[in-house]
Amino acid sequence: MTMRDRVTDLGMRTMNGVHRMVLSLSGGRLGWTIGTMQTVELHTTGRSSGQRRSTLLTAPVHEDGKYVLVASKGGDHRHPFWYLNLVAEPAVDLTIRGVTRPFRARTASSAEKAELWPRIVAAYPGYGAYQGKTDRDIPVVICEPRV
């Protein structure tokens, strides 16, 4: 792992820590939305450790009980760890405004991504910039309720 990769990973963990602190210090009154985007806490199973992992993310598109996540990692050349975890184990939980529910996560097909991407970038133009920074195709994840 390069120094750049370590710095990126530290930056991601720091942003998540600050976000958690805002939620905690505000008693959950602040931090569940960023602009027009819903914030969710994604709970995955670690693909190597088997331990429960969680990360705070934005869902630029959410409708009909589905939440769309973007595995951008700020335009890094690597997929986020949370994405690798949900590919290995798609049974995930999402916490939305303090309520945790079971979901099944899957990578959007090319056609689904083509339909969703303009809406994602409209919600947050930074996602378009992130795609421009990397050669990897940034995955779009669709989380659908598990029954």
Side-chain angles (χ1 to χ4, degrees):
M1 182 180 298
T2 68
M3 180 59 80
R4 177 178 167 240
D5 291 347
R6 286 189 187 108
V7 169
T8 297
D9 293 347
L10 178 62
M12 294 290 156
R13 282 193 301 275
T14 300
M15 281 186 350
N16 238 271
V18 169
H19 195 166
R20 286 180 195 285
M21 188 171 60
V22 168
L23 281 166
S24 178
L25 291 175
S26 71
R29 290 184 308 277
L30 299 174
W32 287 114
T33 57
I34 296 178
T36 62
M37 294 184 291
Q38 178 73 52
T39 300
V40 301
E41 184 173 18
L42 171 69
H43 306 278
T44 60
T45 302
R47 65 198 175 284
S48 300
S49 69
Q51 294 181 2
R52 185 172 168 97
R53 304 289 184 196
S54 66
T55 189
L56 290 163
L57 301 166
T58 55
V61 177
H62 51 92
E63 60 196 14
D64 301 326
K66 298 177 186 178
Y67 290 81
V68 174
L69 310 175
V70 182
S72 64
K73 197 170 187 172
D76 193 68
H77 65 99
R78 300 165 297 147
H79 290 309
F81 300 128
W82 62 261
Y83 176 72
L84 300 173
N85 288 343
L86 68 76
V87 167
E89 176 49 68
V92 301
D93 292 326
L94 290 182
T95 301
I96 303 143
R97 295 194 173 270
V99 177
T100 303
R101 296 181 316 193
F103 284 81
R104 181 151 314 281
R106 64 181 177 81
T107 304
S109 68
S110 297
E112 288 172 317
K113 181 178 178 181
E115 185 271 321
L116 289 166
W117 193 253
R119 298 172 63 198
I120 290 167
V121 173
Y124 178 63
Y127 287 124
Y130 297 156
Q131 184 60 79
K133 285 175 55 177
T134 184
D135 290 334
R136 84 180 160 90
D137 183 37
I138 292 178
V140 169
V141 174
I142 299 172
C143 296
E144 300 167 303
R146 256 187 299 146
V147 285

